[in-house]
């Protein structure tokens, strides 16, 4: 009788975790999509530039993402690095928007993270490249596959999205804007 009760409780917990993590993810993806649209309205779009959105978790301990800055306004880079490196504030500070101008950087996503597993997908990421006519999620979107994106001449926004400790969601970052040159490896 005791073993059956333990099995029932364990199964109930697994179901609750699966359902809860699935619901939370959908809200966050819609939130990022909404923010991206608003930010792109603020950025001047040139015919020769490519629009990009790259979104991922800030989890230095799991080594999922590496962000390296090559060139840009030092005060902007310093602000972004402060936000990325201060792990204690990731669950306290509200969302932050930092305007970026003529920034050269690269983002490396080191691990493949499946979007199909409910608990794991909160650590997933995506990168999408698009033109003015085909907004955001299209056939050029990379979901959860390891890759490196090298961006030169980025004009747009760095966005920090606070983590949520009760739901075990990590803090996330978003770069949304236009760039002069883009390479995905």
């Amino acid at each position: 009788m005791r073993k059956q009760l333990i099995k029932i409780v364990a199964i109930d917990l697994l179901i609750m975790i699966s359902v809860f993590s699935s619901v939370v993810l959908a809200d966050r993806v819609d939130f990022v999509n909404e923010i991206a649209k608003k930010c792109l309205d603020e950025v001047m779009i040139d015919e020769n530039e490519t629009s990009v959105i790259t979104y991922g978790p800030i989890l230095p301990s799991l080594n999922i993402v590496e962000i390296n800055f090559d060139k840009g306004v030092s005060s902007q880079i310093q602000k972004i690095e402060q936000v990325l490196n201060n792990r204690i504030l990731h669950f306290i500070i509200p969302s932050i928007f930092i305007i970026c101008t003529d920034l050269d950087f690269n983002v490396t996503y080191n691990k493949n993270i499946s979007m199909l597993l409910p608990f794991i997908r909160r650590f997933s990421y995506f990168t999408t490249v698009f033109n003015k006519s085909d907004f955001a999620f299209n056939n050029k979107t990379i979901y959860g596959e390891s890759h490196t994106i090298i961006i030169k001449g980025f004009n747009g926004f760095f966005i920090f999205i606070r983590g949520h400790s009760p739901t075990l969601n990590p803090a996330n970052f978003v770069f949304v804007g236009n760039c002069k040159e883009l390479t995905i490896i």
Side-chain angles (χ1 to χ4, degrees):
M1 181 74 167
R2 191 175 212 178
K3 289 182 182 180
Q4 289 178 342
L5 182 62
I6 291 172
K7 288 179 186 177
I8 290 172
V9 169
I11 290 171
D12 284 347
L13 283 173
L14 287 173
I15 290 171
M16 286 176 23
I17 289 171
S18 297
V19 169
F20 192 58
S21 64
S22 299
V23 171
V24 171
L25 177 70
D27 289 343
R28 291 176 73 84
V29 170
D30 288 342
F31 179 66
V32 170
N33 195 7
E34 184 179 315
I35 287 176
K37 285 180 182 177
K38 287 180 182 177
C39 289
L40 285 172
D41 288 342
E42 298 293 321
V43 178
M44 297 297 292
I45 298 177
D46 186 355
E47 298 282 331
N48 300 328
E49 293 182 324
T50 303
S51 297
V52 63
I53 301 171
T54 189
Y55 165 91
I58 303 171
L59 286 168
S61 58
L62 295 179
N63 194 27
I64 295 174
V65 180
E66 291 177 34
I67 302 172
N68 298 309
F69 297 98
D70 298 327
K71 183 184 112 185
V73 179
S74 61
S75 62
Q76 292 172 0
I77 294 172
Q78 186 178 16
K79 287 178 190 176
I80 293 169
E81 286 179 338
Q82 274 182 324
V83 170
L84 293 174
N85 294 332
N86 195 338
R87 293 180 193 104
I88 295 171
L89 295 178
H90 284 179
F91 296 99
I92 299 170
I93 58 178
S95 296
I96 295 174
F97 293 76
I98 299 173
I99 297 172
C100 302
T101 53
D102 200 29
L103 186 64
D104 293 356
F105 65 98
N106 62 60
V107 179
T108 301
Y109 298 101
N110 295 315
K111 299 179 180 180
N112 291 332
I113 302 199
S114 175
M115 297 285 284
L116 301 176
L117 300 172
F119 185 74
I120 303 296
R121 80 173 84 164
R122 70 184 68 223
F123 305 112
S124 193
Y125 49 84
F126 69 84
T127 299
T128 186
V129 179
F130 56 96
N131 297 337
K132 214 174 180 181
S133 59
D134 62 329
F135 174 72
F137 303 102
N138 54 37
N139 60 355
K140 297 176 189 170
T141 302
I142 302 170
Y143 293 102
E145 295 176 19
S146 65
H147 64 282
T148 299
I149 180 168
I150 302 166
I151 300 174
K152 298 196 185 277
F154 179 79
N155 293 309
F157 292 90
F158 166 82
I159 304 165
F160 166 82
I161 302 168
R162 177 177 53 185
H164 298 280
S165 56
T167 59
L168 300 176
N169 278 333
N172 290 282
F173 71 89
V174 182
F175 282 99
V176 56
N178 300 316
C179 59
K180 294 181 177 127
E181 188 179 327
L182 176 108
T183 307
I184 297 177
I185 302 171

